[in-house]
Amino acid sequence: MKAAVEEAQRKLNVYMRERGLKHTRQRDEILEAFFAAGGHVSIDDLLGQVQERMPGVGYATVYRTMKLFGEAGVAHERHFKDGQSRYEPVVDDEHHDHIICTVCGTIFEFEDPVIEQRQADIAAAHGLTVEHHRHEIYGSCQTPSTCVHRARAG
Amino acid sequence: MKAAVEEAQRKLNVYMRERGLKHTRQRDEILEAFFAAGGHVSIDDLLGQVQERMPGVGYATVYRTMKLFGEAGVAHERHFKDGQSRYEPVVDDEHHDHIICTVCGTIFEFEDPVIEQRQADIAAAHGLTVEHHRHEIYGSCQTPSTCVHRARAG
DNA sequence: ATTCCTGCAAACCTTTTGCAGAGGT
DNA sequence: ACCTCTGCAAAAGGTTTGCAGGAAT
């Protein structure tokens, strides 16, 4: 499997070239740190990573860059309860959803045409067209000790 | 149908009595405004409502009160992309999901038995029982200028 | 009387913005 | 050369906290 970061790089380059934006070392580093981290990174996390290789970098650059990544369709901004924005990589042409075992933390992916269709219907009923969605199911197997997934959990 | 606010009042009273907290006019007003608003209220919304009846009330009180409501299990704090916390009533044994207009920010609620059922099935297929889930649909009407929801957006 | 609450203002934290200089095209 | 990007610092939200007086028990 090709590294997702390469796909992102291409996408980003196209986006930037289209509007005359420039390729800089900072953007490279941030992109790399972002994908290396895997997901749900905060600005602080990223800044910390990037500063190990480029000590001068400041918050503003990271903020601006993540916003750019968002516009380029490379990163997605999420908000949890801690008041900080967190970012996760956008994985293309495959909008799978997640089902997460609350016992062992295993994350499965699923995609269900029936649900997709219902979503479109519901949106239409409100006069909207679906752009994207987020769907996470949390559940558990029986008990921690009998958790079927534990073996394969990270 | 009994007003949900009464249920919440009872729940809140129990919680407060248990820990010697006090019943005040402010808390009453905020609770009422909170339930009157229906859902997805921001602190500003609440403060505005409450100040119509109690001009002196400040932000701090509303923040502290909503935090209290959260702890008492009467309100649930949510974070969307606009950087503000929004609150919605906790309605027992009934959960809804959200559909959000990316043009005007209007938030609708929906609940769909078909989707609920599929979720349970999908979870079962992975050996899990659903505990809770999070489902947000983002979509738009045509263009900002023709946005149907704009009229009712805050 | 005691203890909790309120309102104000200041503090705090995250994010955004203005600007002058550095860097990419 | 031109225009964008960066880093700094200041500004701008949103939320929290310290404190002195006020209210509930």
mmCIF file of all heavy atoms in Angstrom, chain A residues 115-141:
data_model
loop_
_atom_site.group_PDB
_atom_site.id
_atom_site.type_symbol
_atom_site.label_atom_id
_atom_site.label_comp_id
_atom_site.label_asym_id
_atom_site.label_seq_id
_atom_site.Cartn_x
_atom_site.Cartn_y
_atom_site.Cartn_z
ATOM 1 N N ILE A 115 -27.706 2.754 4.681
ATOM 2 C CA ILE A 115 -27.545 3.953 5.490
ATOM 3 C C ILE A 115 -27.245 5.157 4.616
ATOM 4 O O ILE A 115 -27.813 6.234 4.799
ATOM 5 C CB ILE A 115 -26.444 3.745 6.550
ATOM 6 C CG1 ILE A 115 -26.917 2.715 7.582
ATOM 7 C CG2 ILE A 115 -26.099 5.064 7.231
ATOM 8 C CD1 ILE A 115 -25.914 2.407 8.682
ATOM 9 N N GLU A 116 -26.393 4.954 3.629
ATOM 10 C CA GLU A 116 -26.061 6.058 2.723
ATOM 11 C C GLU A 116 -27.332 6.624 2.087
ATOM 12 O O GLU A 116 -27.524 7.832 1.988
ATOM 13 C CB GLU A 116 -25.136 5.568 1.601
ATOM 14 C CG GLU A 116 -23.823 4.975 2.076
ATOM 15 C CD GLU A 116 -22.840 6.009 2.606
ATOM 16 O OE1 GLU A 116 -22.804 7.121 2.052
ATOM 17 O OE2 GLU A 116 -22.131 5.699 3.576
ATOM 18 N N GLN A 117 -28.164 5.713 1.640
ATOM 19 C CA GLN A 117 -29.387 6.128 0.979
ATOM 20 C C GLN A 117 -30.308 6.891 1.927
ATOM 21 O O GLN A 117 -30.851 7.932 1.582
ATOM 22 C CB GLN A 117 -30.102 4.885 0.423
ATOM 23 C CG GLN A 117 -31.352 5.215 -0.365
ATOM 24 C CD GLN A 117 -31.041 6.179 -1.520
ATOM 25 O OE1 GLN A 117 -30.185 5.924 -2.345
ATOM 26 N NE2 GLN A 117 -31.727 7.331 -1.559
ATOM 27 N N ARG A 118 -30.434 6.363 3.128
ATOM 28 C CA ARG A 118 -31.293 7.035 4.110
ATOM 29 C C ARG A 118 -30.780 8.439 4.394
ATOM 30 O O ARG A 118 -31.555 9.370 4.543
ATOM 31 C CB ARG A 118 -31.326 6.250 5.428
ATOM 32 C CG ARG A 118 -32.049 4.930 5.361
ATOM 33 C CD ARG A 118 -33.474 5.046 4.974
ATOM 34 N NE ARG A 118 -34.358 5.537 6.040
ATOM 35 C CZ ARG A 118 -35.676 5.610 5.919
ATOM 36 N NH1 ARG A 118 -36.260 5.227 4.800
ATOM 37 N NH2 ARG A 118 -36.407 6.074 6.910
ATOM 38 N N GLN A 119 -29.487 8.546 4.466
ATOM 39 C CA GLN A 119 -28.888 9.850 4.729
ATOM 40 C C GLN A 119 -29.276 10.860 3.651
ATOM 41 O O GLN A 119 -29.668 11.984 3.948
ATOM 42 C CB GLN A 119 -27.367 9.750 4.750
ATOM 43 C CG GLN A 119 -26.834 9.089 5.972
ATOM 44 C CD GLN A 119 -25.314 9.093 5.987
ATOM 45 O OE1 GLN A 119 -24.718 9.078 7.042
ATOM 46 N NE2 GLN A 119 -24.696 9.102 4.823
ATOM 47 N N ALA A 120 -29.168 10.389 2.414
ATOM 48 C CA ALA A 120 -29.506 11.273 1.311
ATOM 49 C C ALA A 120 -30.973 11.678 1.398
ATOM 50 O O ALA A 120 -31.333 12.842 1.196
ATOM 51 C CB ALA A 120 -29.222 10.573 -0.020
ATOM 52 N N ASP A 121 -31.820 10.715 1.740
ATOM 53 C CA ASP A 121 -33.254 10.996 1.840
ATOM 54 C C ASP A 121 -33.551 12.001 2.937
ATOM 55 O O ASP A 121 -34.323 12.933 2.772
ATOM 56 C CB ASP A 121 -34.023 9.698 2.125
ATOM 57 C CG ASP A 121 -33.965 8.736 0.946
ATOM 58 O OD1 ASP A 121 -33.536 9.169 -0.150
ATOM 59 O OD2 ASP A 121 -34.335 7.564 1.120
ATOM 60 N N ILE A 122 -32.918 11.759 4.062
ATOM 61 C CA ILE A 122 -33.151 12.638 5.199
ATOM 62 C C ILE A 122 -32.681 14.054 4.884
ATOM 63 O O ILE A 122 -33.363 15.031 5.171
ATOM 64 C CB ILE A 122 -32.420 12.098 6.453
ATOM 65 C CG1 ILE A 122 -33.093 10.804 6.916
ATOM 66 C CG2 ILE A 122 -32.421 13.137 7.556
ATOM 67 C CD1 ILE A 122 -32.248 9.983 7.874
ATOM 68 N N ALA A 123 -31.520 14.139 4.261
ATOM 69 C CA ALA A 123 -31.003 15.449 3.894
ATOM 70 C C ALA A 123 -31.970 16.139 2.934
ATOM 71 O O ALA A 123 -32.311 17.307 3.110
ATOM 72 C CB ALA A 123 -29.632 15.312 3.253
ATOM 73 N N ALA A 124 -32.432 15.381 1.948
ATOM 74 C CA ALA A 124 -33.354 15.941 0.962
ATOM 75 C C ALA A 124 -34.613 16.461 1.643
ATOM 76 O O ALA A 124 -35.142 17.516 1.294
ATOM 77 C CB ALA A 124 -33.702 14.883 -0.080
ATOM 78 N N ALA A 125 -35.071 15.716 2.628
ATOM 79 C CA ALA A 125 -36.285 16.125 3.346
ATOM 80 C C ALA A 125 -36.096 17.477 4.022
ATOM 81 O O ALA A 125 -37.055 18.187 4.302
ATOM 82 C CB ALA A 125 -36.672 15.060 4.368
ATOM 83 N N HIS A 126 -34.850 17.822 4.286
ATOM 84 C CA HIS A 126 -34.585 19.117 4.899
ATOM 85 C C HIS A 126 -34.098 20.130 3.868
ATOM 86 O O HIS A 126 -33.665 21.223 4.214
ATOM 87 C CB HIS A 126 -33.551 18.973 6.014
ATOM 88 C CG HIS A 126 -34.077 18.281 7.226
ATOM 89 N ND1 HIS A 126 -33.918 16.931 7.446
ATOM 90 C CD2 HIS A 126 -34.792 18.742 8.283
ATOM 91 C CE1 HIS A 126 -34.494 16.606 8.585
ATOM 92 N NE2 HIS A 126 -35.033 17.673 9.118
ATOM 93 N N GLY A 127 -34.124 19.713 2.620
ATOM 94 C CA GLY A 127 -33.721 20.626 1.563
ATOM 95 C C GLY A 127 -32.224 20.718 1.342
ATOM 96 O O GLY A 127 -31.726 21.669 0.776
ATOM 97 N N LEU A 128 -31.504 19.702 1.773
ATOM 98 C CA LEU A 128 -30.046 19.730 1.626
ATOM 99 C C LEU A 128 -29.537 18.605 0.742
ATOM 100 O O LEU A 128 -30.196 17.585 0.577
ATOM 101 C CB LEU A 128 -29.368 19.574 2.991
ATOM 102 C CG LEU A 128 -29.780 20.468 4.149
ATOM 103 C CD1 LEU A 128 -28.854 20.212 5.325
ATOM 104 C CD2 LEU A 128 -29.722 21.913 3.759
ATOM 105 N N THR A 129 -28.355 18.801 0.210
ATOM 106 C CA THR A 129 -27.653 17.738 -0.481
ATOM 107 C C THR A 129 -26.454 17.355 0.382
ATOM 108 O O THR A 129 -25.721 18.226 0.843
ATOM 109 C CB THR A 129 -27.088 18.232 -1.826
ATOM 110 O OG1 THR A 129 -27.970 19.224 -2.348
ATOM 111 C CG2 THR A 129 -26.952 17.096 -2.792
ATOM 112 N N VAL A 130 -26.269 16.073 0.575
ATOM 113 C CA VAL A 130 -25.188 15.618 1.444
ATOM 114 C C VAL A 130 -23.830 15.952 0.846
ATOM 115 O O VAL A 130 -23.585 15.695 -0.327
ATOM 116 C CB VAL A 130 -25.266 14.095 1.667
ATOM 117 C CG1 VAL A 130 -24.061 13.620 2.469
ATOM 118 C CG2 VAL A 130 -26.552 13.729 2.382
ATOM 119 N N GLU A 131 -22.972 16.528 1.637
ATOM 120 C CA GLU A 131 -21.596 16.764 1.202
ATOM 121 C C GLU A 131 -20.683 15.717 1.820
ATOM 122 O O GLU A 131 -19.896 15.074 1.158
ATOM 123 C CB GLU A 131 -21.149 18.165 1.618
ATOM 124 C CG GLU A 131 -21.819 19.245 0.778
ATOM 125 C CD GLU A 131 -21.532 20.631 1.312
ATOM 126 O OE1 GLU A 131 -20.976 20.744 2.421
ATOM 127 O OE2 GLU A 131 -21.872 21.607 0.612
ATOM 128 N N HIS A 132 -20.798 15.583 3.089
ATOM 129 C CA HIS A 132 -20.061 14.511 3.735
ATOM 130 C C HIS A 132 -20.748 14.187 5.051
ATOM 131 O O HIS A 132 -21.692 14.870 5.453
ATOM 132 C CB HIS A 132 -18.602 14.901 3.971
ATOM 133 C CG HIS A 132 -18.430 16.091 4.859
ATOM 134 N ND1 HIS A 132 -18.544 17.377 4.394
ATOM 135 C CD2 HIS A 132 -18.190 16.195 6.183
ATOM 136 C CE1 HIS A 132 -18.357 18.221 5.379
ATOM 137 N NE2 HIS A 132 -18.142 17.536 6.484
ATOM 138 N N HIS A 133 -20.260 13.173 5.712
ATOM 139 C CA HIS A 133 -20.878 12.836 6.984
ATOM 140 C C HIS A 133 -19.877 12.138 7.875
ATOM 141 O O HIS A 133 -18.793 11.742 7.446
ATOM 142 C CB HIS A 133 -22.084 11.934 6.769
ATOM 143 C CG HIS A 133 -21.719 10.569 6.256
ATOM 144 N ND1 HIS A 133 -21.681 10.272 4.908
ATOM 145 C CD2 HIS A 133 -21.349 9.448 6.897
ATOM 146 C CE1 HIS A 133 -21.305 9.017 4.760
ATOM 147 N NE2 HIS A 133 -21.088 8.490 5.940
ATOM 148 N N ARG A 134 -20.260 12.035 9.096
ATOM 149 C CA ARG A 134 -19.424 11.361 10.078
ATOM 150 C C ARG A 134 -20.312 10.420 10.851
ATOM 151 O O ARG A 134 -21.367 10.808 11.341
ATOM 152 C CB ARG A 134 -18.831 12.401 11.027
ATOM 153 C CG ARG A 134 -18.220 11.840 12.270
ATOM 154 C CD ARG A 134 -17.423 12.894 12.963
ATOM 155 N NE ARG A 134 -16.449 13.443 12.034
ATOM 156 C CZ ARG A 134 -15.362 12.786 11.653
ATOM 157 N NH1 ARG A 134 -15.088 11.595 12.148
ATOM 158 N NH2 ARG A 134 -14.535 13.340 10.784
ATOM 159 N N HIS A 135 -19.918 9.196 10.912
ATOM 160 C CA HIS A 135 -20.770 8.210 11.549
ATOM 161 C C HIS A 135 -19.893 7.242 12.331
ATOM 162 O O HIS A 135 -19.115 6.500 11.745
ATOM 163 C CB HIS A 135 -21.559 7.459 10.469
ATOM 164 C CG HIS A 135 -22.689 6.654 11.015
ATOM 165 N ND1 HIS A 135 -23.616 6.037 10.208
ATOM 166 C CD2 HIS A 135 -23.060 6.383 12.285
ATOM 167 C CE1 HIS A 135 -24.499 5.394 10.965
ATOM 168 N NE2 HIS A 135 -24.176 5.587 12.226
ATOM 169 N N GLU A 136 -20.023 7.298 13.623
ATOM 170 C CA GLU A 136 -19.225 6.411 14.464
ATOM 171 C C GLU A 136 -20.138 5.625 15.385
ATOM 172 O O GLU A 136 -20.963 6.202 16.075
ATOM 173 C CB GLU A 136 -18.250 7.230 15.322
ATOM 174 C CG GLU A 136 -17.144 7.884 14.506
ATOM 175 C CD GLU A 136 -16.518 9.082 15.215
ATOM 176 O OE1 GLU A 136 -16.824 9.293 16.400
ATOM 177 O OE2 GLU A 136 -15.732 9.798 14.554
ATOM 178 N N ILE A 137 -19.966 4.348 15.372
ATOM 179 C CA ILE A 137 -20.752 3.508 16.275
ATOM 180 C C ILE A 137 -19.820 3.005 17.365
ATOM 181 O O ILE A 137 -18.738 2.483 17.079
ATOM 182 C CB ILE A 137 -21.346 2.291 15.533
ATOM 183 C CG1 ILE A 137 -22.190 2.755 14.349
ATOM 184 C CG2 ILE A 137 -22.162 1.436 16.490
ATOM 185 C CD1 ILE A 137 -22.750 1.588 13.536
ATOM 186 N N TYR A 138 -20.236 3.170 18.593
ATOM 187 C CA TYR A 138 -19.439 2.647 19.700
ATOM 188 C C TYR A 138 -20.177 1.482 20.319
ATOM 189 O O TYR A 138 -21.377 1.553 20.572
ATOM 190 C CB TYR A 138 -19.224 3.725 20.762
ATOM 191 C CG TYR A 138 -18.399 4.880 20.258
ATOM 192 C CD1 TYR A 138 -18.990 5.912 19.549
ATOM 193 C CD2 TYR A 138 -17.028 4.898 20.459
ATOM 194 C CE1 TYR A 138 -18.226 6.965 19.058
ATOM 195 C CE2 TYR A 138 -16.260 5.939 19.975
ATOM 196 C CZ TYR A 138 -16.864 6.984 19.272
ATOM 197 O OH TYR A 138 -16.104 8.003 18.786
ATOM 198 N N GLY A 139 -19.475 0.408 20.557
ATOM 199 C CA GLY A 139 -20.125 -0.755 21.139
ATOM 200 C C GLY A 139 -19.109 -1.629 21.810
ATOM 201 O O GLY A 139 -17.904 -1.391 21.756
ATOM 202 N N SER A 140 -19.594 -2.663 22.457
ATOM 203 C CA SER A 140 -18.677 -3.554 23.149
ATOM 204 C C SER A 140 -19.068 -4.996 22.914
ATOM 205 O O SER A 140 -20.218 -5.308 22.646
ATOM 206 C CB SER A 140 -18.720 -3.282 24.641
ATOM 207 O OG SER A 140 -19.976 -3.687 25.137
ATOM 208 N N CYS A 141 -18.107 -5.850 23.023
ATOM 209 C CA CYS A 141 -18.405 -7.257 23.078
ATOM 210 C C CYS A 141 -18.781 -7.503 24.539
ATOM 211 O O CYS A 141 -19.084 -6.567 25.248
ATOM 212 C CB CYS A 141 -17.199 -8.065 22.649
ATOM 213 S SG CYS A 141 -15.696 -7.414 23.358
#
